[in-house]
Amino acid sequence: MTCHQSVKKDSPPIQKLAAFAARSESVPWVRVYQIPGYVFFSHKNHLDTGATCETCHGKVAERDRLFKETDISMGGCMNCHRSKRASLDCTFCHEQRN
């Protein structure tokens, strides 16, 4: 709910999400993006490096719902990492398995 403390906080759908959060209940999400279980992704890490919600989700403040609009394939992620000069090391996004 960090983003929604300022983005569209008066929106009825966001208020519904806030109610789930206040009750510590799981949100029955309809997934927009699916990433494989062997890929580590953190919204926080991306936001900490300067990415914004809009970087991947478009103009969220103007939308009632999100849709898939960013290439989150390995190639898409690597292209973004290249353009932002982020690490391309395999273990940056993939868990090492023994």
Side-chain angles (χ1 to χ4, degrees), residues 6-7 37 49 54 76 78 80 85 87-88:
S6 60
V7 176
T49 62
E54 289 80 9
M78 290 182 75
C80 187
R85 299 185 186 266
S87 177
L88 293 174

Side-chain angles (χ1 to χ4, degrees), residues 35-70:
I35 59 171
Y38 53 83
V39 175
F40 172 76
F41 177 86
S42 166
H43 278 103
K44 183 182 181 320
N45 289 350
H46 283 80
L47 293 171
D48 286 349
T49 62
T52 65
C53 302
E54 289 80 9
T55 302
C56 297
H57 297 294
K59 297 185 182 290
V60 295
E62 299 172 9
R63 297 192 176 145
D64 290 326
R65 66 185 202 126
L66 302 181
F67 54 90
K68 189 173 183 177
E69 63 180 81
T70 301

Side-chain angles (χ1 to χ4, degrees), residues 2-94:
T2 302
C3 294
H4 293 299
Q5 290 174 3
S6 60
V7 176
K8 295 189 77 142
K9 64 182 180 182
D10 297 326
S11 160
I14 299 306
Q15 290 176 351
K16 186 175 176 181
L17 288 175
F20 278 107
R23 296 187 305 263
S24 298
E25 291 180 14
S26 295
V27 176
W29 292 111
V30 175
R31 301 289 306 180
V32 175
Y33 291 104
Q34 288 288 109
I35 59 171
Y38 53 83
V39 175
F40 172 76
F41 177 86
S42 166
H43 278 103
K44 183 182 181 320
N45 289 350
H46 283 80
L47 293 171
D48 286 349
T49 62
T52 65
C53 302
E54 289 80 9
T55 302
C56 297
H57 297 294
K59 297 185 182 290
V60 295
E62 299 172 9
R63 297 192 176 145
D64 290 326
R65 66 185 202 126
L66 302 181
F67 54 90
K68 189 173 183 177
E69 63 180 81
T70 301
D71 178 6
I72 62 162
S73 69
M74 183 171 163
C77 291
M78 290 182 75
N79 286 338
C80 187
H81 276 225
R82 279 187 197 97
S83 73
K84 306 292 185 191
R85 299 185 186 266
S87 177
L88 293 174
D89 183 88
C90 297
T91 60
F92 199 69
C93 302
H94 296 277

